[in-house]
């Protein structure tokens, strides 16, 4: 059985509305709806809070749902996500260095350097967003 159905069944058995659950675990009602309809999955902290709220074991809640287990594994695998982030940072640095090096061979460098500068800002902003999102 998928986690969405388990969450909805547990909520109904507990006598809660989506609004009540959302208020108790500090998320929106739409978030609860998305979890129950499997449009998105809860994070591990929310799963623990739901387990406690519904008085259902984590084992019962999570067993049998491969997609949810993959989601939790991916979202909690810090080493894997850190490697991806470090790889993206290194790729960003190498790209900027290569573009600046190539600019040495162009007769009119000003437009090219502006393009390189804009690319560096955009890619750095994307990396900064990823770093902040992880915190």
């Amino acid at each position: 059985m998928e986690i969405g159905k388990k969450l909805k069944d547990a909520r109904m058995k507990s006598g809660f509305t989506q609004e009540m659950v959302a208020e108790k675990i500090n998320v929106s009602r739409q978030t609860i709806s998305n979890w129950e309809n499997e449009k998105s999955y809860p994070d591990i902290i929310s799963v623990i809070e739901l387990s406690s709220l519904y008085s259902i074991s984590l084992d019962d809640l999570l067993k049998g749902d491969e997609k949810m287990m993959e989601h939790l594994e991916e979202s909690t695998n810090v080493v894997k996500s850190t490697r991806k982030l470090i790889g993206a940072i290194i790729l960003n640095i190498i790209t900027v260095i290569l573009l600046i090096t190539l600019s040495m061979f162009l007769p009119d460098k000003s437009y090219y350097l502006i393009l390189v500068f804009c690319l560096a800002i955009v890619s750095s902003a994307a990396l900064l967003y990823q770093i902040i999102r992880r915190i």
Side-chain angles (χ1 to χ4, degrees), residues 54-104:
Y54 298 151
S55 299
I56 184 172
S57 74
L58 285 171
D59 199 39
D60 290 339
L61 195 57
L62 297 174
K63 267 193 176 175
D65 191 343
E66 292 300 316
K67 287 183 181 178
M68 180 62 187
M69 294 306 291
E70 288 173 14
H71 167 74
L72 289 176
E73 183 178 334
E74 186 176 308
S75 66
T76 57
N77 191 339
V78 176
V79 172
K80 188 176 182 181
S81 62
T82 300
R83 284 184 187 155
K84 286 181 182 177
L85 189 59
I86 290 172
I89 290 169
I90 291 170
L91 183 63
N92 187 32
I93 291 169
I94 290 171
T95 302
V96 170
I97 290 171
L98 283 174
L99 290 173
I100 290 173
T101 303
L102 287 174
S103 72
M104 293 178 193

Side-chain angles (χ1 to χ4, degrees), residues 14 50-57:
S14 300
L50 291 167
S51 169
S52 177
L53 181 65
Y54 298 151
S55 299
I56 184 172
S57 74

Side-chain angles (χ1 to χ4, degrees), residues 19-35:
E19 290 85 6
M20 293 166 71
V21 173
E23 187 176 308
K24 290 183 183 290
I25 66 168
N26 297 317
V27 297
S28 70
R29 188 214 52 85
Q30 186 64 41
T31 299
I32 300 298
S33 176
N34 286 341
W35 292 344

Side-chain angles (χ1 to χ4, degrees), residues 109-121:
K109 299 176 189 177
S110 60
Y111 293 115
Y112 185 77
L113 287 176
I114 291 171
L115 177 69
V116 168
F117 180 71
C118 290
L119 177 67
I121 288 176

Side-chain angles (χ1 to χ4, degrees), residues 121-133:
I121 288 176
V122 169
S123 60
S124 297
L127 287 171
L128 182 60
Y129 169 75
Q130 292 298 321
I131 291 169
I132 290 172
R133 200 176 99 194

